[in-house]
Amino acid sequence: MAGDDGRSNTPGGPGTSVITKVKPRTKRPSLYRVLILNDDYTPMEFVVHVLEKFFQKNAEAATKIMLHVHHHGIGECGVFTYEIAETKVTQVMDFARKHQHPLQCVMEKK
């Protein structure tokens, strides 16, 4: 009989085996762009305020995005994971409705 030295006397090879740990690869979450759409009724100052309040943009960055929206019809506010993007869109839309502005905010997969 074999002693308690950690080896077994099984036929077909030495009594040691190698156990390899496989780390599961976590997939990066999909990212979504949050976009503001231009309209003819929402004041530019309100759009700047929304960008500062919900997207933590400084006055200069917010103004730059607002002007891009004004000239091109659409502008990116930020890129987030699905849940965060969805929350931001909801917050902006609720805030705009509360202040009686038709501002539209949407998200799209990047």
Side-chain angles (χ1 to χ4, degrees):
M1 245 200 182
D4 287 330
D5 62 354
R7 291 183 288 163
S8 65
N9 291 328
T10 55
T16 58
S17 60
V18 177
I19 298 174
T20 57
K21 246 186 185 176
V22 178
K23 277 191 174 180
R25 282 201 170 261
T26 53
K27 212 168 78 170
R28 287 189 171 267
S30 297
L31 295 176
Y32 292 80
R33 299 169 64 206
V34 176
L35 307 166
I36 286 186
L37 307 178
N38 189 41
D39 64 72
D40 293 333
Y41 303 101
T42 305
M44 292 179 175
E45 296 79 16
F46 184 79
V47 175
V48 170
H49 179 66
V50 164
L51 291 165
E52 291 171 340
K53 180 176 178 74
F54 297 106
F55 299 96
Q56 290 70 49
K57 303 292 183 189
N58 60 32
E60 185 180 337
T63 302
K64 187 175 179 182
I65 293 169
M66 177 274 299
L67 287 172
H68 186 274
V69 170
H70 182 68
H71 293 294
H72 297 96
I74 193 166
E76 183 177 283
C77 305
V79 178
F80 308 95
T81 58
Y82 180 83
E83 290 80 11
I84 294 173
E86 186 177 46
T87 300
K88 298 265 186 202
V89 168
T90 302
Q91 288 174 330
V92 170
M93 295 293 287
D94 290 347
F95 189 70
R97 297 301 159 264
K98 181 181 170 190
H99 291 87
Q100 299 178 341
H101 294 298
L103 184 65
Q104 293 291 307
C105 187
V106 296
M107 59 189 257
E108 71 174 22
K109 195 168 186 176
K110 186 167 183 181

